[in-house]
């Protein structure tokens, strides 16, 4: 289903080999939380999606774990930015801005974190809307 959603918008999207339930369970253990259902299903179909201009529209589960742990625990980030504990990052625009689900309160919306201003704002109503917007023609700044 998720591959088709992406192909409907961007036929040249690049899909990775799927991950499996055991890898997802270990990722959730490391993160200390369940992943959103839609994201889990997407990763079971394709462990990440590469979109326009080679952008990691959806990261692999390994990158999701690595980046979220880094953002939540890096002391230098804590001095520069507001806390990231409320966000679950899962993709980027290729230029430093990153996309996330809100963890607290849990909701389906996707927000963008803009690294230059540390702003966090709404970008899409859910994962399907995010894929539709981020994979469409028009550049990697679709959310601005």
């Amino acid at each position: 289903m998720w591959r088709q959603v992406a192909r409907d918008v961007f036929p040249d999207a690049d899909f990775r080999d799927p991950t499996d339930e055991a890898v997802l369970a270990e990722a959730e253990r490391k993160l200390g939380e369940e992943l959103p259902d839609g994201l889990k299903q997407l990763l079971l179909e394709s462990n990440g999606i590469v979109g326009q201009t080679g952008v990691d529209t959806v990261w692999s589960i390994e990158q999701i774990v690595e980046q979220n742990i880094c953002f939540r625990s890096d002391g230098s980030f804590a001095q520069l930015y507001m806390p990231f504990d409320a966000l679950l990052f899962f993709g980027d625009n290729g230029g430093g801005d990153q996309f996330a689900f809100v963890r607290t309160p849990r909701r389906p919306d996707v927000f963008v974190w803009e690294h230059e201003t540390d702003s966090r704002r709404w970008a899409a109503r859910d994962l399907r809307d995010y894929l539709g917007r981020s994979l469409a023609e028009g550049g990697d700044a679709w959310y601005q």
Side-chain angles (χ1 to χ4, degrees):
M1 173 197 125
W2 289 106
R3 284 178 183 244
Q4 192 58 50
V5 167
R7 278 193 182 110
D8 287 347
V9 180
F10 181 51
D12 293 330
D14 186 26
F15 302 98
R16 297 187 178 106
D17 291 336
T19 192
D20 61 47
E21 295 278 354
V23 172
L24 289 178
E26 179 61 14
E28 289 177 331
R29 186 193 67 73
K30 287 179 180 177
L31 292 169
E33 68 182 292
E34 284 189 37
L35 297 171
D37 289 337
L39 182 58
K40 281 200 273 193
Q41 293 306 312
L42 185 151
L43 294 167
L44 288 168
E45 289 183 36
S46 176
N47 192 15
I49 297 176
V50 179
Q52 303 278 350
T53 64
V55 169
D56 287 321
T57 303
V58 177
W59 296 335
S60 69
I61 188 59
E62 294 82 7
Q63 189 173 3
I64 290 170
V65 170
E66 177 185 317
Q67 291 298 316
N68 280 280
I69 289 173
C70 177
F71 271 80
R72 295 174 193 169
S73 63
D74 187 307
S76 62
F77 286 170
Q79 294 177 4
L80 293 171
Y81 306 116
M82 292 183 290
F84 294 106
D85 295 339
L87 300 174
L88 175 69
F89 293 110
F90 68 90
D92 64 66
N93 76 333
D97 295 341
Q98 299 188 25
F99 299 94
F101 292 105
V102 174
R103 298 172 59 209
T104 309
R106 206 165 162 119
R107 51 192 285 182
D109 305 82
V110 173
F111 283 72
V112 60
W113 170 66
E114 295 179 271
H115 72 288
E116 292 175 347
T117 62
D118 194 25
S119 67
R120 296 118 195 263
R121 59 187 175 79
W122 185 91
R125 68 181 166 271
D126 56 23
L127 185 57
R128 180 183 296 268
D129 187 36
Y130 167 76
L131 291 174
R133 292 169 184 252
S134 62
L135 292 172
E137 294 288 337
D140 299 327
W142 59 269
Y143 53 91
Q144 295 180 340

